[in-house]
């Protein structure tokens, strides 16, 4: 089963995803961290997420690219935090679009009993953005669209409230 959680920055999607994963019956719980921290803000965000999941029982794997290379037991539930970082890491290392990232995520999802994917939703191209940033925003929106089609369940967080836009809560039992 693949579950996609979307929402804007600060919507609570990470905390919601962590609780959701831990509510799934699984042999083990994995947290795949994709962020490459840059500067104080980046490190502060990583530390916030580490504190948030401390003592939750996750096996954490730092994997900023090629998440399908992670070895997972077939009965595992895995949280991929997050798609937007994974795409950014790939694009800023020369991948021109998200097709390789989508293939990587699909292969990752096939390795475990349940995969929960987190991604930023609602980014729009702004006139002040440089070309590289505009390309990233457009590619993230295309990748999210592919993941919506691929996922069994899609949940959008609005002000901390989960809204099921594909599938329903019964699929999570």
């Amino acid at each position: 089963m693949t579950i996609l959680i979307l929402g804007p920055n600060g919507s609570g999607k990470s905390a919601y995803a962590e609780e959701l994963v831990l509510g799934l019956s699984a042999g083990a719980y994995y947290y795949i961290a994709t962020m490459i921290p840059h500067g104080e803000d980046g490190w502060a965000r990583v530390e916030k997420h580490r504190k948030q999941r401390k003592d939750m029982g996750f096996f954490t794997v730092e994997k900023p690219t090629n998440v399908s290379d992670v070895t997972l037991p077939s009965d595992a539930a895995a949280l991929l935090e997050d798609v937007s970082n994974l795409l950014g890491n790939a694009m800023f290392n020369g991948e021109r679009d998200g097709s390789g990232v989508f293939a990587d995520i699909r292969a990752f999802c096939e390795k475990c009993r349940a995969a929960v994917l987190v991604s930023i939703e609602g980014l729009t191209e702004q006139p002040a953005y440089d070309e590289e940033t505009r390309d990233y925003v457009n590619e993230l929106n295309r990748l999210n669209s592919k993941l919506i089609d691929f996922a069994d369940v899609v949940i959008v967080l609005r002000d901390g409230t989960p809204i099921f836009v594909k599938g329903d809560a019964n699929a999570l039992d």
Side-chain angles (χ1 to χ4, degrees):
M1 170 188 297
T2 301
I3 303 163
L4 176 63
I5 300 175
L6 297 165
N9 284 326
S11 64
K13 61 189 176 295
S14 297
Y16 179 80
E18 290 165 359
E19 293 298 325
L20 190 147
V21 168
L22 295 175
L24 300 171
S25 58
Y29 301 95
Y30 284 80
Y31 185 104
I32 312 305
T34 63
M35 184 176 183
I36 299 172
H38 298 283
E40 282 184 40
D41 289 344
W43 283 107
R45 194 165 173 185
V46 166
E47 193 55 36
K48 172 189 164 195
H49 283 263
R50 285 179 179 158
K51 285 179 183 175
Q52 187 172 293
R53 70 178 182 271
K54 186 178 182 242
D55 301 325
M56 290 181 136
F58 283 105
F59 294 101
T60 299
V61 179
E62 303 280 342
K63 193 74 171 128
T65 61
N66 302 315
V67 293
S68 61
D69 292 345
V70 174
T71 302
L72 297 169
S74 61
D75 64 345
L79 170 56
L80 178 63
E81 174 68 49
D82 78 12
V83 170
S84 54
N85 286 328
L86 192 63
L87 176 65
N89 298 340
M91 287 184 73
F92 297 120
N93 282 319
E95 186 170 322
R96 298 201 46 86
D97 62 43
S99 59
V101 174
F102 179 67
D104 186 39
I105 291 171
R106 283 183 64 130
F108 168 79
C109 292
E110 292 171 3
K111 292 183 158 202
C112 54
R113 185 184 158 290
V116 176
L117 316 173
V118 175
S119 189
I120 298 172
E121 181 229 22
L123 292 180
T124 57
E125 191 176 317
Q126 302 294 318
Y129 287 168
D130 60 31
E131 183 179 355
E132 189 175 50
T133 303
R134 285 193 306 271
D135 289 346
Y136 168 77
V137 167
N138 291 326
E139 201 54 44
L140 179 60
N141 291 331
R142 279 191 285 277
L143 178 57
N144 283 343
S145 180
K146 288 180 183 179
L147 290 171
I148 288 167
D149 290 342
F150 170 69
D152 301 299
V153 176
V154 178
I155 303 166
V156 176
L157 255 71
R158 294 280 183 253
D159 299 319
T161 302
I163 301 166
F164 285 76
V165 296
K166 182 178 179 183
D168 60 39
N170 294 326
L172 305 179
D173 295 332

